[in-house]
Amino acid sequence: MRIFATLLALLLALCAAETQAQPALLDEGTEALRLAPHLGYAVDPEGRADATTMLARAGRGEFAPLPDGNTTLGFTEGAYWFHAELFNTRAGLQRWLLVLHYPLLDNVDVYLRYPDGRVEHFASGDSLPFSARSIRYRHPNFWVDLPTRTRVELLVRVSSRSSLQVPLALYTPTAFAELERDSQLGIGLFYGILVALFCYNLVLWLSLRDASHFWYMLHVSAFGLVMLCLNGLAFEYLWPNSPWLANHAIPISMALSQVAMHQFCRVFLELPERQPRANLFSLLIIGFYVLMGVASLFLEYRTVVKPLTLAVFPGALFILAITINSIRGGYAPAKVFLAAWGFLLLGTALYASVSFGLLQKGFLTEYGIQIGSALEMILLSFALAYRYARLRGENERLVREHNEQLERHVARRTSELSTALEQLAEANQRLRESNRRDALTGLFNRRHFRDVFEHQMHHAAEHRQPLGVLLIDLDHFKNVNDTHGHLAGDECLRWLGRCLTDSLSAHGALLARFGGEEFVAVVPDIEGERLLHLAELVRVRICSEPVRYAGNNIGISASIGAFVLRPGSGMGVDEALHRADDALYAAKDGGRNRVHADADLTS
């Protein structure tokens, strides 16, 4: 009997050992490690347990492994505790970044217990200011110190009023940088599409005054805000010091997005005329979302978000039904609308299923709503264009049937509309060009020069090339104005601008009027003696030929300050201009009509 009892105890111990999560090993080949297979978890329904208590429970083996490694737990009450043991064998790398890849968690507490009993505590989540995070990143993150060949206990407490998702991962700094680069590219493409569609339809709405374009723009804006919130970017960039907004912006933007979407459907599908009953039901749905948006300002987050998220499914099915009904009724633009709505419905269903714990977090479930919404908005833009073309065709057919004169009027109005759009584009082009140019000399103005100069500095630094900076100032310009008048002075400035263009354009120089009678030139890939020689040629050219105005020959000269910005100097735009300006003042102090080089240029 004793032998049987001993064997039974050993069997039970082996079974218990198999159910325990295995320690996370960070070896030489590990750059990133998902912690889900190594996590055990325990539920704290009241949310009152402390780290000491939970570490003791973990030591007694009371933490259960995650079922199938699933870190998506849906909407839950209380707090969840997660435990893992970390063992780092990488020599020379002790600092790792712990990232929780879900931005909508209220409170995240991380505890590290070392073999000597020391416990380190970190806190994050959107109930704290964004600055509480280790690095500026949209997901909660923590720098953790894992000494080599030392077993460290990791304990994570998470509580939230939103869906509870805890996809924890450890990264080396290099691996995290590569991950962030790829994710930022995808996010940038998504929001680039949204901005482009918004601007495109803004121009159309301003030109056509079609209500469908307005509601489409509002939907794009509100949905973009929803995605900014869900991605954690709104908390990072828009209101990093307002946890209140970080939580309330989600239901507000969700409600606004759905209001705009259903209103767009009413206008696009022409529900008041084609489907009156569906139109009334659509107004009820809009009223519900307006009510939930207002209620989100006063009610608890979860009380509002759960019905808002659940209402997405019947609302989407309703739009699907009325779209199919419109197709059956012979409304052709509804076909493109159906394809667009199908992509959004699929992406939203995937994302919402993760929120309720029906599906595991993965690439398609995490980014499905971005992919689906991008395709939906592109197709909706096509649907708007198709609808507009169809309406225009019907109008032209009616005009041809009823009145030839009215047809000519419609053609004239269409031509005027096209002309207005072309004039708008031309005016925008002229406005952009005028904002860049000095009205008197035609050279770049100071503001545009600074932008281009800064870009040239980055380019020169990347290619390890020097930049030559010349500041040119007309000598005794006040005497020219006082003697010959301000119009003569203006002609001198124009002449100087032409002179600089003729002398320096062949060298690829960036030219601008810096202010008053002062001009600036930036010459790429040029060193000290060459720059001084070029500056001397410019100076000689200026003073060798008088300016002819109103029968007078006005002799002018210029002082020039020269400075070479060498790669690796670490200087900014202002410091480089300041050094060139010092050289200019030295040229003036030395008697004017001369070139003076900065000390570093001749050294």
Side-chain angles (χ1 to χ4, degrees):
M1 288 297 293
R2 287 184 178 180
I3 294 176
F4 177 75
T6 302
L7 290 175
L8 181 60
L10 288 173
L11 180 62
L12 292 175
L14 288 172
C15 292
E18 289 180 357
T19 62
Q20 296 297 316
Q22 297 300 313
L25 179 63
L26 305 170
D27 55 23
E28 294 296 332
T30 303
E31 294 292 331
L33 180 66
R34 290 178 58 252
L35 294 182
H38 310 282
L39 288 175
Y41 81 101
V43 182
D44 178 15
E46 301 297 328
R48 297 178 180 177
D50 57 17
T52 302
T53 301
M54 301 310 291
L55 284 170
R57 288 184 58 183
R60 295 193 297 270
E62 297 179 8
F63 276 58
L66 289 172
D68 299 325
N70 185 12
T71 57
T72 302
L73 304 170
F75 290 91
T76 60
E77 300 291 341
Y80 271 66
W81 292 81
F82 301 87
H83 179 269
E85 290 187 348
L86 310 177
F87 191 71
N88 177 25
T89 63
R90 288 195 61 166
L93 181 61
Q94 297 187 15
R95 202 175 192 220
W96 295 72
L97 188 66
L98 177 66
V99 181
L100 203 165
H101 288 286
Y102 185 64
L104 305 183
L105 298 172
D106 293 338
N107 297 285
V108 181
D109 291 275
V110 172
Y111 301 88
L112 293 173
R113 185 165 71 173
Y114 296 90
D116 59 2
R118 175 171 53 93
V119 176
E120 291 188 359
H121 172 234
F122 311 94
S124 187
D126 59 17
S127 65
L128 299 176
F130 194 82
S131 58
R133 303 185 180 186
S134 294
I135 61 174
R136 290 186 58 83
Y137 183 57
R138 55 197 177 94
H139 293 161
N141 57 86
F142 315 86
W143 283 116
V144 295
D145 186 30
L146 302 178
T148 304
R149 308 202 65 81
T150 301
R151 190 179 295 268
V152 179
E153 286 188 77
L154 171 68
L155 184 68
V156 180
R157 179 189 185 276
V158 178
S159 64
S160 184
R161 292 166 292 179
S162 63
S163 172
L164 200 65
Q165 302 177 34
V166 196
L168 286 163
L170 278 170
Y171 297 92
T172 65
T174 302
F176 178 76
E178 294 177 355
L179 169 74
E180 177 58 9
R181 178 198 62 188
D182 296 338
S183 63
Q184 290 290 10
L185 174 62
I187 291 172
L189 289 174
F190 173 75
Y191 288 108
I193 292 172
L194 261 61
V195 171
L197 291 175
F198 176 86
C199 294
Y200 170 70
N201 283 275
L202 175 62
V203 173
L204 291 180
W205 177 68
L206 291 174
S207 304
L208 305 176
R209 296 296 176 179
D210 186 351
S212 58
H213 287 285
F214 172 80
W215 291 112
Y216 176 80
M217 287 190 305
L218 184 59
H219 170 60
V220 168
S221 303
F223 192 85
L225 181 58
V226 171
M227 297 313 302
L228 279 173
C229 294
L230 295 181
N231 290 331
L233 295 172
F235 190 30
E236 180 176 357
Y237 292 106
L238 300 183
W239 37 76
N241 298 316
S242 178
W244 186 90
L245 266 178
N247 282 281
H248 287 79
I250 297 175
I252 293 174
S253 58
M254 287 176 63
L256 182 60
S257 173
Q258 291 299 312
V259 168
M261 185 68 243
H262 282 274
Q263 182 63 19
F264 172 74
C265 292
R266 289 183 64 248
V267 175
F268 183 88
L269 298 177
E270 301 175 358
L271 291 186
E273 298 81 16
R274 296 177 178 272
Q275 303 181 56
R277 292 184 179 178
N279 178 60
L280 292 176
F281 190 72
S282 181
L283 289 173
L284 290 176
I285 294 176
I286 291 174
F288 165 77
Y289 281 114
V290 170
L291 180 63
M292 295 305 293
V294 175
S296 66
L297 298 173
F298 309 100
L299 299 180
E300 185 185 8
Y301 175 89
R302 184 178 297 177
T303 305
V304 178
V305 167
K306 287 187 71 173
L308 273 175
T309 306
L310 288 171
V312 168
F313 292 100
L317 293 176
F318 169 72
I319 293 178
L320 197 62
I322 61 176
T323 305
I324 294 174
N325 198 32
S326 294
I327 295 174
R328 289 177 177 174
Y331 187 57
K335 295 178 182 178
V336 183
F337 186 89
L338 177 63
W341 190 247
F343 281 115
L344 180 63
L345 179 62
L346 178 61
T348 304
L350 289 173
Y351 188 86
S353 298
V354 173
S355 297
F356 286 96
L358 302 177
L359 294 176
Q360 292 191 24
K361 194 178 185 72
F363 177 80
L364 285 180
T365 55
E366 182 176 3
Y367 294 103
I369 191 168
Q370 286 96 325
I371 298 171
S373 61
L375 293 173
E376 177 248 2
M377 291 178 186
I378 292 172
L379 289 175
L380 283 184
S381 187
F382 290 157
L384 282 170
Y386 179 54
R387 174 177 176 269
Y388 173 71
R390 182 177 181 274
L391 291 175
R392 186 177 61 183
E394 290 179 357
N395 288 336
E396 291 175 352
R397 179 179 57 81
L398 291 174
V399 166
R400 285 193 301 269
E401 291 175 354
H402 292 90
N403 197 307
E404 185 67 21
Q405 182 181 1
L406 184 59
E407 182 183 15
R408 290 195 298 270
H409 177 69
V410 170
R412 186 172 64 252
R413 292 293 296 169
T414 303
S415 176
E416 292 173 355
L417 176 61
S418 300
T419 302
L421 289 175
E422 291 175 1
Q423 291 174 348
L424 177 61
E426 292 175 0
N428 286 335
Q429 181 62 32
R430 289 194 299 270
L431 179 60
R432 285 193 295 269
E433 188 64 22
S434 65
N435 286 336
R436 299 167 54 191
R437 298 285 179 179
D438 172 56
L440 180 63
T441 64
L443 300 179
F444 288 133
N445 57 31
R446 183 169 182 169
R447 181 179 61 183
H448 184 68
F449 164 78
R450 289 180 63 88
D451 295 338
V452 179
F453 185 25
E454 186 170 2
H455 175 74
Q456 282 194 343
M457 291 174 64
H458 290 307
H459 181 271
E462 290 177 0
H463 294 80
R464 307 297 297 173
Q465 294 177 346
L467 284 176
V469 183
L470 299 178
L471 272 180
I472 305 102
D473 188 79
L474 286 179
D475 297 328
H476 306 295
F477 185 68
K478 184 176 184 302
N479 293 339
V480 174
N481 285 330
D482 293 343
T483 304
H484 301 281
H486 287 281
L487 294 180
D490 290 346
E491 179 59 27
C492 291
L493 294 176
R494 282 191 290 267
W495 183 89
L496 178 57
R498 293 192 297 270
C499 178
L500 293 176
T501 301
D502 294 341
S503 302
L504 297 176
S505 292
H507 299 274
L510 168 66
L511 301 173
R513 184 182 177 188
F514 204 62
E517 65 273 21
E518 195 171 31
F519 292 74
V520 63
V522 177
V523 185
D525 195 17
I526 191 168
E527 278 290 359
E529 290 301 326
R530 289 176 54 210
L531 180 62
L532 286 177
H533 178 68
L534 183 60
E536 183 63 24
L537 291 177
V538 172
R539 185 195 66 79
V540 172
R541 170 73 188 281
I542 293 172
C543 64
S544 63
E545 182 180 347
V547 179
R548 296 175 178 84
Y549 179 78
N552 297 319
N553 291 331
I554 306 172
I556 61 173
S557 65
S559 300
I560 302 177
F563 171 67
V564 171
L565 179 65
R566 293 186 172 87
S569 65
M571 287 188 184
V573 171
D574 291 332
E575 188 174 355
L577 292 174
H578 180 71
R579 295 288 290 274
D581 194 47
D582 287 344
L584 173 62
Y585 272 98
K588 287 186 172 294
D589 291 341
R592 292 185 169 82
N593 192 19
R594 63 182 59 208
V595 176
H596 186 86
D598 183 85
D600 288 349
L601 187 147
T602 57
S603 60

